[in-house]
Amino acid sequence: MEHLDLAKASTDGGGGGNLVLILDYGSQYTHLITRRIRQLSVFSLCISGTSSLSSIAELKPRVVILSGGPHSVHVDGAPSFPDGFLQYAEENGVYILGICYGMQLIVQKLGGEVAIGEKQEYGKMDISVEQEECGLYGPEAACGTQTVWMSHGDEVVKLPEGFTVVARSLQGSAAAIENHSRRFYGLQYHPEVTHSPQGMETLQHFLFDVCGVTADWKLQDVLEEEIKVIKGMVGPDEHVICALSGGVDSAVAATLVHKAIGDRLHCVFVDNGLLRYKERERVVSTFKSDLHLPVTCIDASDQFLSKLRGVKDPECKRKIIGREFISIFDDFAHELEKKMGKKPAFLVQGTLYPDVIESCPPPGSGRTHSHTIKSHHNVGGLPKDMKLKLIEPLKLLFKDEVRKLGSILNVPESFLKRHPFPGPGLAVRVLGDVTEGNALEILRQVDEIFIQSIKDAGLYDSIWQAFAVFLPVQSVGVQGDQRTHSHVVVLRAITSEDGMTADWYYFDHKFLVDVVRKICNNVRGVNRVCQDITSKPPATVEWE
């Protein structure tokens, strides 16, 4: 799925001529640029750095930001913007900001020179702003120093004609450059990360004071535009199926579509045998009592687990789950056709922007866009011959934005605060074959104890996501004065804003002692509990 398709569907409602477009060259921080700009109430989109000129021009961006990336501009095959892009920008008054690799790309393409740096710069470093008046820094930053986050091995050794250095690192390399008259700007560091404390001020000054961007993007506008799009897509006598997972995303998507088309929406909740402890009972009750959505519950656990038996590869598991979901939705559509005389043609899913970003391959790999971290069953696992057309009203939003949108739609706060749960369910939390032994039941019990302990301690709302993982290994232990050879589980809890980056949550020592004791005393077959204290990156949130 290409970002361009998503962008086309949203530009009119999101910002049009006020759009900030990010061309992605593979930096792990690219998504943060998108989010930081949205935090300034400016609509931003991220598409592949190797997108065609026509696809970029079609979006009519006010500003284009070239992201960082792991490549070197002077290596054959390094990804780049399309031919004619810089000329297009100048002729149409588009402002260009290159960040890290993006800055080096501008320099190289305009006749400057980039070379391997004598002293590579990584991590926190101080820079000195040398100009009193410039486009990248406001008066309060002029001729001062600030701490920034560097991550580059190459450096600019010769500027293109007309460019000036407006800030340097303490080692003397160009940290910020610009050609104000041609509207080209470059930062050798990452202003979007929190490790650059004044980075947001720099972006704010650049966008508002230099580029003349207006802070006019609101989620209420997104809601109204999506309702308009759905009404235009779904005919007045057409029906729609919505796949409810029990999570925030599908609930908000369902509520939004219900607002647009009313009772022509038919919600279905599938028990795939990969749900958490008593998840089906709890979720269906919430949908009916709080969200007032009509829900049909289908128990397909045997169908899913039989297809997953013996499968260990995570991507295979995801694709099997995706196929089975679609098969069930097709059958459900046939049943509705018998009742109504018309077969539903659409399927609603709560796909988010991070799902799409993380399901695309890297520039410079022969494919397009950023590195594929994982495939989601609602992005990469759908069969090509799927008969239902997709409606994904949240596909341009981050998780925190979905929660805000849900609040506008009056989705109960208790539901909006639920921790994320992956579409493939416990299939990606039982490493290896999910049907082996009683792994799923053990994991459900461990997870329930962990989450309930977090709630009892009043920590649930302080944590972005918490869950347990079942490992396909056994360890030696001693329980009841007897030697045991039992299972190992891992507890993971993270803090995050959108799930794209995350830090592990630091529990009090006593809390962990109590949780481990409860698990080992109450869950038969577990004799060792570990804690995952890895951030993202380098790890992902889920283990598979």
Side-chain angles (χ1 to χ4, degrees):
M1 183 180 294
E2 291 292 330
H3 276 210
L4 183 57
D5 297 331
L6 309 181
K8 284 179 182 176
S10 178
T11 307
D12 291 341
N18 206 35
L19 172 70
V20 177
L21 184 65
I22 293 94
L23 298 187
D24 178 14
Y25 292 103
S27 168
Q28 60 180 315
Y29 304 124
T30 300
H31 61 278
L32 280 177
I33 307 172
T34 312
R35 290 204 72 258
R36 296 293 181 246
I37 293 170
R38 290 189 187 187
Q39 287 173 358
L40 296 172
S41 298
V42 175
F43 187 59
S44 62
L45 279 175
C46 174
I47 68 172
S48 171
T50 53
S51 295
S52 67
L53 181 58
S54 61
S55 66
I56 295 170
E58 189 175 356
L59 294 171
K60 299 181 175 62
R62 174 78 171 174
V63 180
V64 175
I65 296 179
L66 312 177
S67 85
H71 310 281
S72 180
V73 294
H74 45 70
V75 172
D76 289 342
S80 179
F81 42 72
D83 291 340
F85 169 70
L86 296 180
Q87 182 181 352
Y88 156 80
E90 290 197 87
E91 291 176 353
N92 290 274
V94 178
Y95 291 82
I96 305 295
L97 172 63
I99 294 177
C100 204
Y101 176 82
M103 170 177 138
Q104 295 169 5
L105 205 52
I106 292 173
V107 169
Q108 185 209 47
K109 294 296 183 182
L110 289 176
E113 186 180 343
V114 177
I116 298 173
E118 292 184 12
K119 296 181 179 179
Q120 298 180 339
E121 297 178 322
Y122 295 99
K124 285 187 177 182
M125 302 197 72
D126 288 338
I127 65 167
S128 176
V129 179
E130 298 182 342
Q131 300 286 331
E132 286 190 21
E133 294 184 9
C134 60
L136 286 169
Y137 302 103
E140 69 284 348
C143 298
T145 61
Q146 56 182 271
T147 301
V148 299
W149 187 259
M150 291 283 193
S151 182
H152 67 101
D154 292 349
E155 66 174 312
V156 173
V157 295
K158 177 186 175 186
L159 287 176
E161 185 178 345
F163 277 77
T164 57
V165 174
V166 295
R168 291 186 184 276
S169 70
L170 295 189
Q171 293 184 164
S173 62
I177 64 171
E178 63 181 56
N179 184 324
H180 195 58
S181 63
R182 296 180 69 182
R183 295 180 298 274
F184 292 144
Y185 304 83
L187 294 171
Q188 188 55 75
Y189 61 91
H190 290 277
E192 69 273 20
V193 301
T194 54
H195 303 303
S196 298
Q198 292 171 263
M200 278 294 281
E201 294 174 19
T202 300
L203 288 174
Q204 188 168 350
H205 171 73
F206 174 70
L207 293 175
F208 297 147
D209 298 336
V210 177
C211 305
V213 169
T214 305
D216 62 356
W217 184 68
K218 303 185 294 293
L219 280 173
Q220 182 66 44
D221 296 336
V222 174
L223 172 61
E224 293 169 3
E225 178 63 22
E226 284 297 335
I227 289 174
K228 188 192 306 179
V229 168
I230 292 165
K231 286 181 176 179
M233 184 186 305
V234 181
D237 62 343
E238 300 245 64
H239 291 257
V240 177
I241 295 173
C242 181
L244 291 174
S245 68
V248 175
D249 309 331
S250 64
V252 172
T255 306
L256 193 158
V257 175
H258 191 259
K259 188 176 179 67
I261 65 171
D263 291 339
R264 290 183 290 129
L265 174 71
H266 306 272
C267 298
V268 57
F269 178 79
V270 178
D271 183 349
N272 59 1
L274 302 165
L275 302 177
R276 290 170 290 193
Y277 183 78
K278 291 189 176 179
E279 179 80 351
R280 182 169 74 179
E281 298 93 321
R282 292 169 177 174
V283 165
V284 172
S285 173
T286 299
F287 282 140
K288 291 181 177 177
S289 62
D290 295 337
L291 298 177
H292 310 293
L293 293 172
V295 183
T296 298
C297 184
I298 298 175
D299 186 350
S301 52
D302 290 342
Q303 178 178 335
F304 277 85
L305 295 179
S306 64
K307 292 290 176 63
L308 288 167
R309 185 163 287 111
V311 178
K312 296 182 179 181
D313 179 76
E315 289 298 295
C316 288
K317 288 195 281 187
R318 278 187 163 85
K319 292 188 182 299
I320 288 170
I321 292 166
R323 283 199 305 269
E324 293 309 305
F325 267 122
I326 295 305
S327 172
I328 288 169
F329 298 144
D330 278 337
D331 291 343
F332 183 65
H334 283 297
E335 290 299 315
L336 286 175
E337 184 180 16
K338 291 178 185 177
K339 294 179 183 177
M340 302 179 304
K342 187 174 180 66
K343 185 179 178 181
F346 298 90
L347 172 67
V348 178
Q349 290 204 118
T351 307
L352 302 191
Y353 207 30
D355 297 341
V356 180
I357 292 172
E358 291 192 341
S359 296
C360 298
S365 68
R367 297 172 286 165
T368 57
H369 213 348
S370 57
H371 187 67
T372 302
I373 297 172
K374 58 180 176 287
S375 293
H376 294 250
H377 83 270
N378 56 346
V379 178
L382 297 179
K384 293 179 180 178
D385 59 351
M386 186 178 78
K387 300 178 182 66
L388 295 165
K389 298 175 216 169
L390 278 180
I391 297 176
E392 298 174 300
L394 312 178
K395 64 185 173 292
L396 292 174
L397 301 181
F398 292 93
K399 177 72 79 170
D400 58 321
E401 294 169 337
V402 171
R403 288 190 168 117
K404 290 173 185 174
L405 188 64
S407 183
I408 295 172
L409 287 164
N410 295 317
V411 176
E413 191 72 16
S414 59
F415 202 86
L416 293 176
K417 288 183 176 180
R418 291 195 86 198
H419 289 180
F421 187 62
L426 299 183
V428 293
R429 293 179 180 174
V430 172
L431 273 59
D433 184 353
V434 300
T435 67
E436 196 169 294
N438 60 342
L440 284 169
E441 189 53 37
I442 288 175
L443 181 58
R444 287 189 183 102
Q445 293 179 42
V446 172
D447 190 75
E448 178 68 8
I449 291 171
F450 184 36
I451 299 303
Q452 191 57 52
S453 297
I454 287 172
K455 290 178 177 177
D456 292 343
L459 301 175
Y460 191 80
D461 292 344
S462 301
I463 295 172
W464 165 268
Q465 193 171 2
F467 56 91
V469 178
F470 182 93
L471 300 187
V473 295
Q474 291 181 299
S475 71
V476 175
V478 177
Q479 291 173 297
D481 294 327
Q482 293 183 2
R483 182 185 178 91
T484 61
H485 195 232
S486 298
H487 298 291
V488 180
V489 294
V490 178
L491 307 181
R492 181 147 172 77
I494 59 166
T495 58
S496 180
E497 288 186 354
D498 53 29
M500 297 291 284
T501 58
D503 290 320
W504 60 281
Y505 185 83
Y506 189 91
F507 286 110
D508 179 76
H509 177 72
K510 183 179 182 303
F511 174 87
L512 289 174
V513 170
D514 289 343
V515 169
V516 172
R517 176 179 50 79
K518 288 178 186 175
I519 291 171
C520 291
N521 287 347
N522 291 283
V523 183
R524 186 178 296 276
V526 173
N527 69 357
R528 193 175 299 273
V529 180
C530 305
Q531 184 188 7
D532 182 349
I533 57 169
T534 320
S535 61
K536 176 187 179 181
T540 54
V541 174
E542 300 290 344
W543 275 52
E544 285 194 337

